[in-house]
Every structure is written in C-alpha cells, then in structure tokens.
C-alpha cells in the first residue's frame, strides 16, 4: 500500500516550509505518485487563484485617509511636559539666561553700598612718586631739588611737589 | 476605529518626514491589507488611518534595516484584533484551536455601508467570497502566506503567535478553501 503525503504536509510543501530532509522525501514521492502530484497541483492552483484575485482587486489608498491623518496631527497640541522642555531650547534659553544674569547683577549692586577702599589722594601721591622716579622724566631733577628745598624750608612734601609743577 | 486615543504631540521635522515617506511608500499596501482583513471599505479606512497614527507615535521604535511592511502589518493586526475584541468581547473563544474548520458566514462586518459593500463585492468578488468564509485569524494567515508570501516565521512574528499556530491555522484554512472551491466547481457543473 502506497503511503501518500498528508494534506498538511502538502500545504507546507507548497509554501516551501518543509525541512530539507522532509522536502527531499516529498519530492522523491511525487515523482512516482500521480495522486499526490494532483493534490500538490490543486494547492498550487488555489494559491495562484488567491494571488491573482488579490492583484486584480488591488486598489489605491483613498486620498481622504492621508488628509485625515495630517489633520489629526496638525490638531495636536504640546503636552505640559513638552511646554516645560521648550524653555530649554536655545532660542528661548539664551534671552532667559541673559535676563536672569542682569537681574542678579543689579540686585547684588543694590544691596552692597561699600565706599571705595582707596582714596583719590593715594593715586595723586603714587603718580607723583612714579613721575619723579622715572629715568626719562624731564622733571626728575627739578622735583628732587624742590623736595629737598621744601624739606629744608620746613614745607611738607606735597607742597614742594605742587611748587615744582 | 473606536479605540480611545491619547493626545498626539506636535511633530518634529524628522517625524513628519518619516510619516510622509511611510505613507507614500506603504500606504497602498497597508490599505489593501486592511481591506482584505476587514472586507469592508469603512473599516479598512479606519484601520489604515489608526495604523499610520500609531506609526507616527512610535516612529522611533522602528529599527532601520528591518521590514517596515512587516512592522505596519503587525500594527494593523493588533489594531484589528483589539477592535474585534472590543466589539465582540470574545474574539478568541470564536476560534477554538482544536475544533474542525468553521464557516463564519454570520460574522457581522465592523461597519456597514451598503453601497461600498456592493461595489467592493463586484470588484473583488472571487477573493472576497473565498476569504469571507474564513475566521479572522484564518483569513489573516492566508493573506499573509498566500498573497503577501511571508514565511511561517514572519507570519508568527506579525501575528504574535507561534509557528505551530500559524501552521495549524493555515492547514485548516486551506482545507476549508479547497472544500469551497470544490463546492463551487460542483455548482458550475450542474
């Protein structure tokens, strides 16, 4: 008695889903068995019918679907988290950071009213000393002479400096 | 479809470009897949629209180099299954795995538009008639295996089930389809 291929095995064979060994056995059987060959052909015909019918009935996607999808997307509004994160985008973050820095600077300046730690007279004295000690100063000799004369006459150094100018 | 939707976020330029390209390249295939599943114009529209909105939401989860079509078919499959469950409440109980093939002639379409239905049946009558007698899962596995020509492994990934389940569903669907063809041939001979 001939052992025929089962219907399930024929379905798997037609779909190319048999393991290599089983596929080889099926091929070998089909060479000698007209009944199973007929079954395989019937399955193949059915598959071709399904495919041909699908191709024949294929249709374009209605354009309304495309429009409806974009309409739904255009109507989207950012959620609360997205609104928060948008603050960190550069276009917004840079001006915000500038305002915060300026505010911080002026707030600090308004709360600190310290007087200058160096009096203006210090700069005058320092300038006089530097001018008098400079090797290329044309007035160096005159200043020294004036200072010496002032000390000799009992005047303070500042008065002597003023006289030298 | 009537599933509740979370609010959408406005698109980034990359997201818009991704969706636009997806719709132009795969819109037709997705719509035809949805139409063959539902056999109904209105449901196919809703299913396609919802699938691309889901693509829009989850566009970052798509892995470049993998099949986009497989991905969106999986999305369509899940949406279709969710919708059937929502409407009928007992989708799985209708398809007992161990029972003999069943005809689902009494299956109510998800949405009914008499004019669309009439036109659809005139255009794709042979395929519609053949697939309408299958259960949703059987119909889906036949579409994927015979029309889209996916392997059992790919179908299992799309449908979210084992290869064994794909195999058994396809075996039952094919047996039923062949009986239908034989019956049609007998009627023609009379």
């Amino acid at each position: 008695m001939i052992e025929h291929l089962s219907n399930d095995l024929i379905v798997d064979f037609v779909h190319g889903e048999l393991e290599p060994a089983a596929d080889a056995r099926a091929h070998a059987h089909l060479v000698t068995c007209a009944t199973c060959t007929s079954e395989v052909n019937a399955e193949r015909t059915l598959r071709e019918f399904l495919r041909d019918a699908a191709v024949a009935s294929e249709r374009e996607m209605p354009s309304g679907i495309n429009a409806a999808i974009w309409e739904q997307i255009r109507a989207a509004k950012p959620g609360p988290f997205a609104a928060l994160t948008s603050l960190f985008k550069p276009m917004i973050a840079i001006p915000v950071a500038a305002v915060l820095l300026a505010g911080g600077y002026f707030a600090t300046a308004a709360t600190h009213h310290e007087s200058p730690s160096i009096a203006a007279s210090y700069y005058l004295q320092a300038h006089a000393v530097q001018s008098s000690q400079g090797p290329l100063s044309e007035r160096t000799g005159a200043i020294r002479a004036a200072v010496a004369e002032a000390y000799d006459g009992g005047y303070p150094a500042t008065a002597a400096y003023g006289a030298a100018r | 479809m009537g599933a509740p939707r979370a609010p959408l976020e406005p698109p980034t330029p990359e997201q818009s470009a991704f969706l636009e390209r997806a719709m132009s390249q795969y819109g037709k295939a997705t719509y035809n897949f949805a139409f063959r599943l539902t056999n109904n114009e209105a449901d196919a529209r809703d299913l396609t629209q919802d699938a691309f909105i889901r693509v829009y939401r989850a566009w970052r989860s798509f892995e470049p180099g993998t099949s986009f079509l497989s991905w969106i078919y999986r999305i369509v499959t899940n949406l279709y299954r969710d919708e059937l469950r929502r409407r009928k409440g007992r989708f799985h109980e209708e398809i007992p795995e161990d029972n003999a093939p069943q005809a689902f002639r009494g299956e109510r379409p998800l949405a009914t538009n008499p004019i669309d239905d009439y036109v659809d049946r005139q255009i794709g009558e042979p395929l519609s008639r053949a697939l309408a007698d299958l259960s949703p899962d059987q119909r889906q596995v036949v579409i994927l295996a015979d029309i889209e020509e996916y392997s059992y492994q790919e179908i299992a990934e799309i449908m979210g089930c084992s290869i064994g389940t794909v195999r058994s569903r396809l075996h039952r669907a094919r047996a039923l389809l062949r009986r239908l063809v034989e019956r049609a041939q007998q009627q023609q001979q009379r």
Side-chain angles (χ1 to χ4, degrees):
Chain A
M1 181 181 167
I2 299 171
E3 188 77 22
H4 290 297
L5 303 178
S6 70
N7 286 336
D8 290 354
L9 196 139
I10 287 172
V11 170
D12 291 344
F13 176 78
V14 167
H15 286 85
E17 292 284 348
L18 287 180
E19 295 294 324
D23 194 63
R25 280 197 300 274
H27 270 290
H29 176 76
L30 288 170
V31 171
T32 57
C33 181
T35 307
C36 287
T37 302
S38 170
E39 290 294 313
V40 166
N41 288 339
E43 282 293 335
R44 284 188 175 139
T45 302
L46 178 58
R47 195 171 196 215
E48 281 166 17
F49 159 75
L50 290 168
R51 209 176 304 156
D52 291 347
V55 170
S57 63
E58 204 166 63
R59 56 190 65 198
E60 293 298 322
M61 183 173 83
S63 58
I65 296 177
N66 206 320
I69 290 167
W70 285 114
E71 191 180 337
Q72 203 174 329
I73 289 168
R74 272 195 293 273
K77 293 187 172 69
F81 182 71
L84 191 67
T85 52
S86 70
L87 285 174
F88 296 101
K89 289 178 181 172
M91 291 293 287
I92 296 171
I94 291 169
V96 166
V99 168
L100 288 174
L101 283 171
Y105 172 78
F106 286 116
T108 309
T111 54
H112 290 77
H113 295 289
E114 291 179 4
S115 56
S117 56
I118 302 173
S121 59
Y122 168 81
Y123 290 104
L124 289 173
Q125 286 173 356
H127 178 70
V129 171
Q130 283 174 357
S131 301
S132 64
Q133 290 175 350
L136 299 177
S137 175
E138 291 175 359
R139 295 200 301 265
T140 304
I143 289 170
R144 281 181 181 160
V147 169
E149 187 185 339
Y151 273 112
D152 288 344
Y155 291 102
T158 47
Y161 171 70
R165 286 173 68 97
Chain B
M1 300 259 159
R5 294 165 180 158
L8 287 175
E9 293 286 339
T12 61
E14 296 86 0
Q15 198 174 7
S16 291
F18 182 87
L19 182 67
E20 200 162 340
R21 194 169 167 202
M23 286 198 294
S24 68
Q25 285 190 3
Y26 303 104
K28 183 179 176 182
T30 305
Y31 174 72
N32 278 283
F33 180 61
F35 184 82
R36 285 172 197 135
L37 275 184
T38 59
N39 198 28
N40 177 282
E41 172 74 25
D43 286 332
R45 278 170 170 266
D46 286 351
L47 205 51
T48 306
Q49 189 174 326
D50 287 354
F52 277 108
I53 289 292
R54 196 167 280 195
V55 164
Y56 171 80
R57 288 180 196 276
W59 73 288
R60 284 189 187 282
S61 66
F62 174 69
E63 296 172 20
T66 60
S67 165
F68 180 86
L69 212 50
S70 296
W71 188 49
I72 199 165
Y73 281 179
R74 190 158 62 241
I75 291 171
V76 170
T77 298
N78 290 335
L79 287 169
Y80 180 56
R81 186 178 299 152
D82 290 348
E83 186 61 18
L84 285 175
R85 278 183 188 152
R86 196 182 71 79
R87 295 191 183 193
K88 296 177 180 175
R90 53 189 181 85
F91 178 52
H92 278 303
E93 287 77 357
E94 289 188 9
I95 312 155
E97 288 292 327
D98 300 327
N99 286 4
Q102 301 175 32
F104 283 78
R105 290 180 183 279
E107 183 184 307
R108 184 173 59 85
L110 298 179
T112 304
N113 179 332
I115 297 172
D116 283 344
D117 280 356
Y118 175 77
V119 171
D120 295 338
R121 287 186 187 285
Q122 294 304 306
I123 294 169
E125 189 185 6
L127 184 64
S128 300
R129 205 166 47 199
L131 296 178
D133 286 328
L134 303 177
S135 74
D137 276 345
Q138 288 171 345
R139 186 160 56 239
Q140 190 166 9
V141 83
V142 166
I143 291 167
L144 290 169
D146 291 313
I147 297 172
E148 302 290 344
E149 297 185 32
Y150 280 110
S151 70
Y152 288 2
Q153 174 67 45
E154 290 168 323
I155 296 169
E157 286 167 9
I158 290 170
M159 295 184 72
C161 62
S162 68
I163 292 178
T165 303
V166 170
R167 199 183 293 271
S168 64
R169 281 177 185 164
L170 186 63
H171 291 166
R172 284 203 294 270
R174 298 288 298 208
L176 181 57
L177 282 173
R178 287 196 60 184
R179 280 207 295 275
L180 291 170
V181 169
E182 286 165 11
R183 197 187 305 160
Q185 285 172 341
Q186 285 168 0
Q187 284 172 352
Q188 281 176 350
Q189 286 168 359
R190 283 174 193 168

